[in-house]
Amino acid sequence: GENVEQHPSTLSVQEGDSAVIKCTYSDSASNYFPWYKQELGKGPQLIIDIRSNVGEKKDQRIAVTLNKTAKHFSLHITETQPEDSAVYFCAATNMNTGFQKLVFGTGTRLLVSP
Amino acid sequence: NAGVTQTPKFRVLKTGQSMTLLCAQDMNHEYMYWYRQDPGMGLRLIHYSVGEGTTAKGEVPDGYNVSRLKKQNFLLGLESAAPSQTSVYFCASIDRPRGGGGNQPQHFGDGTRLSIL
């Protein structure tokens, strides 16, 4: 089955810096890669996603890149703000199964200091 | 519009006790999921359902049972709680994919924090 590894487990940056979180996956059949943000005491919330037919996707200060050959994908946050502080999870799944059985990474705790 | 609601929010059990966690969604979603979240291990799928009356095992199903008697509700049961089941439990739901797209966001509840002594 699919296995997703995520690094780093903790990331501390200064406000305004960029943050990069990296994930690798094992199953070449995986073709959908969402990123979720989890704030303290809340459930995860989707912030951006990418399909395997696309190499990069941007949404304002957030971008995701995908390298299918190397089986890795990354989340990039530019101009970080204190409200970006949260735990971020990557995930992977094969959409062709129809019911989106996500396999999550172990999470990255991002701390943005003012 | 409440989205996904989990009850209770917190619970402490003694080893061997039983309990049921309730997940309710008001979005008429077809698919529902139960995850557990443990430190350093991310979210792991316990059981899921692709429609009313259906259930299937996920990655870590042992010690849990589920039921989906009504489309809007997905229940997670612990028949005989063990300390290893101390965790935060999350429920999620999505609608049935249409047009070949399975990339809809899973909508998560805010979790149930369960401690088993």
Side-chain angles (χ1 to χ4, degrees):
Chain A
E2 176 64 278
N3 181 53
V4 177
E5 295 189 357
Q6 183 172 347
H7 300 281
S9 57
T10 307
L11 180 59
S12 294
V13 300
Q14 293 290 322
E15 182 177 0
D17 289 348
S18 295
V20 181
I21 302 170
K22 298 181 179 182
C23 290
T24 60
Y25 62 99
S26 61
D27 189 350
S28 57
S30 289
N31 53 16
Y32 174 59
F33 308 93
W35 285 89
Y36 282 80
K37 176 183 181 182
Q38 185 179 26
E39 297 179 339
L40 193 62
K42 299 291 185 182
Q45 190 167 20
L46 180 76
I47 54 172
I48 195 167
D49 56 13
I50 191 168
R51 293 197 189 195
S52 59
N53 59 350
V54 175
E56 183 176 5
K57 184 177 178 180
K58 290 183 179 180
D59 183 3
Q60 300 183 355
R61 297 186 296 107
I62 295 174
V64 58
T65 59
L66 171 66
N67 183 327
K68 286 191 297 182
T69 303
K71 295 200 190 80
H72 65 71
F73 57 111
S74 300
L75 177 71
H76 304 255
I77 306 174
T78 58
E79 300 174 15
T80 54
Q81 301 168 3
E83 51 264 39
D84 294 328
S85 296
V87 179
Y88 292 82
F89 291 96
C90 62
T93 190
N94 178 359
M95 286 198 301
N96 296 331
T97 63
F99 53 82
Q100 201 185 97
K101 193 174 171 183
L102 292 176
V103 177
F104 284 86
T106 51
T108 295
R109 184 174 301 278
L110 175 65
L111 177 62
V112 181
S113 302
Chain B
N1 190 343
V4 178
T5 303
Q6 293 184 233
T7 52
K9 297 187 185 304
F10 304 94
R11 186 72 182 268
V12 178
L13 290 178
K14 294 181 179 179
T15 298
Q17 287 185 318
S18 64
M19 79 161 295
T20 300
L21 281 65
L22 172 63
C23 176
Q25 52 93 5
D26 61 3
M27 297 170 284
N28 201 35
H29 283 173
E30 202 70 35
Y31 304 153
M32 297 186 73
Y33 307 79
W34 274 109
Y35 296 91
R36 60 178 289 174
Q37 183 177 35
D38 302 293
M41 300 187 75
L43 290 97
R44 292 181 292 167
L45 183 64
I46 304 172
H47 285 281
Y48 62 96
S49 169
V50 298
E52 182 178 317
T54 73
T55 62
K57 294 181 180 179
E59 181 186 357
V60 287
D62 293 343
Y64 305 95
N65 57 76
V66 287
S67 64
R68 184 95 181 270
L69 299 179
K70 293 183 179 181
K71 185 177 183 179
Q72 64 267 34
N73 295 336
F74 195 26
L75 278 63
L76 178 70
L78 286 73
E79 290 186 350
S80 179
S84 61
Q85 294 177 304
T86 293
S87 188
V88 182
Y89 292 86
F90 286 98
C91 176
S93 71
I94 61 171
D95 204 357
R96 183 193 301 274
R98 293 183 176 84
N103 57 328
Q104 302 167 63
Q106 290 195 11
H107 296 260
F108 283 83
D110 287 338
T112 293
R113 283 150 184 79
L114 183 60
S115 293
I116 300 162
L117 307 178

